[in-house]
Every structure is written in C-alpha cells, then in structure tokens.
Amino acid sequence: MDAALADMKAASKAADVIEIRFDYVDAPEPKAFLDAATKPLIGTHRPVREGGRYEGDEEQRIDLLRRAAALGFDYIDTELDSAERIGEHGEAKLIVSYHNFERMPDDLEAVHARIVDAGADVAKLAVMATDICDNLRMFDLLRAAEIPTIGLCMGEEGVISRILGPGMGSLLSFGTLDTGKESAPGQVPIGDMRELYRVNEIDGETRLYGVIANPVAHSMSPAIHNAAFRAKGINAVYLPLKVADVRRFVQEFKRLDMQGYSVTIPHKVDVMDVMDEVDQFVRDIGAMNTVVNRDGRLCGYNTDCTGALRAIESVMGGDAPLQDKHVVMLGAGGTSRAIGYGVKARGGRLTILNRTVAKAERLAGEIGCEWGPLDRLPKLQMDVLLNTTSVGMHPKMEDTPAPAELLREGMVVFDAVYNPMETRLLREAAERGCVTVSGVDMFVNQAVAQFELWTGGDAPEGLMREVVIKRLSGR
Ligand code: NAP
C-alpha cells in the first residue's frame, strides 16, 4: 500500500485520471487511495485470465470493486465476462473491458457491441497489434463508437494508438509512471506522453509524421523531430512506426493523411516502389529516407546525401567547396552510394575503395569514378577522406579504417559512424591538424533537411543537435 500510494502521488503530477491496479497491491484498501487522491480514480482488479495478477476468489475480487464504487471511486473497471456480476455501482461509472494479448480479433466490432449490451458506461478494448495497420481498425471503431470508449492496441506496433487514440475519440490513454512500470506491453512513460508526444494537444488539425523502421524502439528521430516541432510551435506529432510490410503500410496509412515520413532500415529501398514521385538523382542513389506528402502525392527524397554534404561543405570555404577536390571514400554500402553520388554531383574527383573490391567497382561504374581495394589508400593524394564503412563503430571502437600517418594537416576527414560520437579516426585526424566532420553532423543535418522539406521553414538546428548529443551520450 505504501508503494502504491507513493506511485499514485507521483502519477498525480502528470496524469488527468489515475488507474489503481488493485491486483498489483498486497491487501489493497480502496479508502486509503480515496483519502489521498487529488485526481479521479479508476479501480481495476484484473484477474490472471485477462492479463492481470489476481489469482484469488472471484467473489472477493468483485466485492472489492463494489466497495471501491460505494466509497467514491469515479470509475470501476471489470471484464466483459464478469460485468453482470457487479450489480449496483452507485455514482461510479462502469468500464467494461476486453483484452486480447495475442491479436486483434476478427469480431472486434461485435465485441464492442457486446460490451454496450452488458450495460457499460464506458467500453474498453485492449488488443495486441501484430501489424501496425491494426491501429487503423481501432481508430475506425473509436470514431464510430456511440458510448464513451477506450480503444488501444498493445505492443510496439500499437504505440501509436496510445498517442493518437484520444485525438481519435478514445476517452483516455494509458501512460506508465516510468519505464519498467508498465502494466501492459507498449505503454509509453507519462512524461513522454505529455512532453514528447504532447498527447493532450493533439486535435483534428495536428499534422502527422513518423519514422518507418523495423525495429524502431532505438530510433532517435521521434525525440529530435518532436522537440523541433514543439520549439517552432508547430501543431504536429512525429510517431515511431514499426512497419513489417512497407507497401501495405504506405497504402493503408493514406487514410490518416500522414504528412511525411523518415524511412530507415530495412525499408529505404523498397519504399521507393510505392512513391508517386522520386526524382532521377534519388533513383540513381537507389535508396531514400524521406517522404513528403504534397497534396496527396507521396514524394521521395534522400537527405542522407544532403545531410552528409552539408556537413562536409560547411567546414570548407567557397561557393563550390568540393569542385575538383580529390575525395577518397572508404566503403561501397548504402551510405556510400548516397554520399558518392552527392560528391560527384558537386564536382568532386571521387575514388571509392572497399574491402569487397567488386562492390567498389560496381558502384564506381554507376557513379563514374575511380575505384580500388582498401590497401590503395597509402598511395593516394587526397583533399578529403570519407569513411562510410562501419569500421570504428561501437563496440569495436579501437578499430580505424585509415592509419594515422596518412592523415595530413589541413585535410578534411569525415566519419559517417556516430556511435561513438568521436571515433578513433576523428580523434587521430584532429590530433594531426585535419578538419573533422562527424557522423553526428551528418545525422543532425539529414534531420534538419527533412524538417525543412516538411515545413518549408528553418529547423531549430541547435536544439536538434542537443537532443542527438544527449541521446548518444546516454543522458
Ligand atoms: P552497409 O550498407 O552495410 O555498408 C557497410 C560498409 O562497411 C561496406 O562497404 C563494408 O564493406 C564496410 N565494412 C564493414 N565492415 C568492414 C570491415 N571490418 N573492414 C572494412 N570494411 C568494412 O552499411 P551502411 O548502412 O552504409 O552504414 C555504414 C556506416 O554508416 C555505419 O556505421 C552506419 O552507422 C553509418 N551511418 C551513419 C549515418 C549518419 O547519419 N551519420 C547514416 C547512415 C549510416 P564490404 O562491402 O566489404 O562488406
């Protein structure tokens, strides 16, 4: 009881309504909660069969809920299979809930109708999303519901239902007090619900953006873009979208009129097929990371390219800083393609060196530049060295793709790796008087370019950089 009361006090600072899960408390005392409450209370005593922890006598379980209602709880929540056993519940509103921890049932709408028939004041449906498109069906149900309804999808695929639900008509959404205190999978900490996603401010005018990825939980993009929208006073929210089938996702989510997406691993190539417009330069690169919705037409861009080039050119003087410079790029993977095409377009003289030489040859053939194996590096005179391999990345941070003795004073050295923020390559380059550009600079600049494409305005670059550095340094 002491711990639960302390949690209730903490939750009262952020939540509008507080759910007391009696099944998580030893010997729960409803009156003690009411005496200490400063917010409306929901009393829930969930049995194991519905995903809760209560394993005792059913009559005692129901009796505690009846007592909570009689004492003055604002809501009591019981399951569809036991709703009719509650009987008289005084002033308290009766939430009748249904849970499915495996999937969204085919008869979701019929379940809702059964809840209404059971005499619910509020219907609650919580089902496991196995695909992000399950959220759309829940949103349809919320919009059509004739009694107050709480509808949410559980799991990582369902996170957006917790964020967008209230804007779609859900009576409320559940947040958890803190990471690790979730009472259902996919719950978002309440601090993030309020500060990051601004759930209470989402309305019919809110523009929707998000990152298409799989997995998505590690993505820094929601933190960066939501902070940027907030700082600029833009009514927009940026969502984490765990997407398995990108074609189906893009088609189905047209119904939500999403205004833009970031796209990352593993969808950067496949997503191009479902765009209405992709310009030739992005087609040449063969991958994109940004979608802009222009009056219903989805247009694809590659800001990895723009972001890296902006970062590199910003440390070089003049109008066309890369023109005629000898640029040596280590790597022939996805990032190399984006940056290589960019360097070539800016007039740089490019040489691609890669561990798998055939890949360097192929990419160089497409771009139209020199190529070779990694051991050619010592023989080359260069103005700019770009590392686009993953060498030096956490956890192998003592690796470096280029020996220190090849780094000459005044050379520009760029490393796409951003974890760690300062790689061994960049540290040694700085020690030798090179001008260094980090993967963090590229990452921030690609996000800045996305923000500009979506809003047509200036991005709060300093703030976005701060968010990235904070996340990368684990603060
Ligand atoms: P990718 O397509 O898998 O390409 C990886 C490249 O690294 C290939 O050229 C590969 O050579 C080379 N490589 C891997 N291990 C190597 C080793 N032990 N020795 C020599 N070469 C090695 O990867 P990617 O998506 O382009 O990502 C590359 C790096 O860029 C990653 O560290 C990633 O985090 C970073 N990145 C940064 C940003 C940013 O915004 N800063 C954005 C995207 C990516 P082979 O062809 O021989 O396998």
Side-chain angles (χ1 to χ4, degrees), residues 3-135:
L5 286 166
D7 277 357
M8 183 177 81
K9 195 172 168 194
S12 302
K13 294 190 185 125
D16 303 307
V17 187
I18 299 179
E19 179 183 49
I20 305 297
R21 286 289 297 266
F22 294 131
D23 53 308
Y24 275 62
V25 184
D26 291 335
E29 298 159 29
K31 185 161 184 318
F33 288 110
L34 280 166
D35 288 347
T38 56
K39 294 286 171 71
L41 296 184
I42 302 171
T44 303
H45 206 192
R46 194 79 71 219
V48 169
R49 67 171 189 281
E50 288 266 340
R53 292 193 176 174
Y54 183 82
E55 291 183 290
D57 175 71
E58 184 66 3
E59 195 48 44
Q60 284 182 19
R61 185 178 76 84
I62 301 282
D63 197 52
L64 185 80
L65 289 173
R66 284 195 203 109
R67 244 183 328 126
L71 284 165
F73 267 62
D74 301 84
Y75 301 86
I76 52 168
D77 175 327
T78 193
E79 303 69 34
L80 183 52
D81 64 3
S82 49
E84 62 188 26
R85 300 185 54 205
I86 289 283
E88 179 51 39
H89 48 89
E91 304 266 293
K93 292 212 165 23
L94 180 65
I95 302 175
V96 177
S97 60
Y98 166 86
H99 298 85
N100 189 322
F101 286 88
E102 283 172 13
R103 62 189 184 88
M104 172 167 271
D106 295 338
D107 62 345
L108 187 75
E109 296 74 13
V111 173
H112 186 264
R114 289 210 297 280
I115 291 175
V116 175
D117 291 346
D121 296 308
V122 177
K124 178 184 166 193
L125 297 106
V127 302
M128 185 63 76
T130 52
D131 186 282
I132 189 141
C133 295
D134 289 344
N135 292 284

Side-chain angles (χ1 to χ4, degrees), residues 150-392:
I150 302 165
L152 52 94
C153 293
M154 294 182 282
E156 210 182 340
E157 283 87 348
V159 164
I160 66 165
S161 71
R162 298 180 182 277
I163 298 167
L164 298 182
M168 301 283 176
S170 187
L171 178 69
L172 51 82
S173 184
F174 293 86
T176 181
L177 203 48
D178 216 340
T179 308
K181 290 209 166 185
E182 297 83 1
S183 56
Q187 276 179 358
V188 177
I190 185 130
D192 285 353
M193 294 281 274
R194 277 217 186 266
E195 307 295 326
L196 183 65
Y197 297 113
R198 297 184 288 159
V199 169
N200 283 7
E201 294 167 42
I202 294 174
D203 56 28
E205 302 296 307
T206 304
R207 294 158 65 90
L208 306 180
Y209 298 87
V211 55
I212 301 175
N214 191 8
V216 73
H218 67 287
S219 173
M220 291 190 283
S221 296
I224 299 166
H225 286 295
N226 281 316
F229 286 138
R230 184 183 180 148
K232 287 282 181 177
I234 296 171
N235 183 1
V237 64
Y238 184 100
L239 305 162
L241 304 162
K242 186 179 176 196
V243 173
D245 180 341
V246 73
R247 288 159 212 263
R248 173 164 181 237
F249 168 81
V250 169
Q251 292 302 345
E252 300 257 335
F253 268 64
K254 284 184 179 166
R255 285 161 54 195
L256 287 192
D257 198 27
M258 300 281 301
Q259 291 302 298
Y261 298 110
S262 309
V263 187
T264 187
I265 296 169
H267 299 305
K268 285 185 180 186
V269 176
D270 286 350
V271 73
M272 291 176 68
D273 293 345
V274 274
M275 292 296 103
D276 298 305
E277 258 178 64
V278 180
D279 73 30
Q280 191 52 46
F281 185 66
V282 177
R283 284 205 186 284
D284 288 344
I285 293 173
M288 51 171 272
N289 74 328
T290 308
V291 181
V292 182
N293 179 343
R294 298 200 189 285
D295 300 324
R297 288 182 66 73
L298 298 183
C299 308
Y301 296 86
N302 191 313
T303 70
D304 282 334
C305 176
T306 341
L309 286 181
R310 271 194 204 181
I312 295 160
E313 291 183 328
S314 70
V315 300
M316 303 170 78
D319 288 342
L322 284 168
Q323 183 73 44
D324 298 326
K325 297 287 188 306
H326 187 202
V327 180
V328 176
M329 181 167 75
L330 309 176
T335 308
S336 325
R337 291 189 71 86
I339 298 178
Y341 271 99
V343 169
K344 178 78 179 177
R346 298 288 221 277
R349 286 188 293 116
L350 182 63
T351 302
I352 299 174
L353 307 181
N354 194 43
R355 178 178 63 177
T356 308
V357 184
K359 276 171 70 181
E361 182 179 8
R362 194 160 62 238
L363 181 58
E366 289 176 36
I367 296 179
C369 67
E370 299 293 312
W371 55 274
L374 288 176
D375 61 14
R376 223 179 114 196
L377 185 62
K379 302 182 191 102
L380 298 176
Q381 288 291 323
M382 57 200 145
D383 304 299
V384 181
L385 176 67
L386 310 177
N387 175 40
T388 59
T389 74
S390 46
V391 176

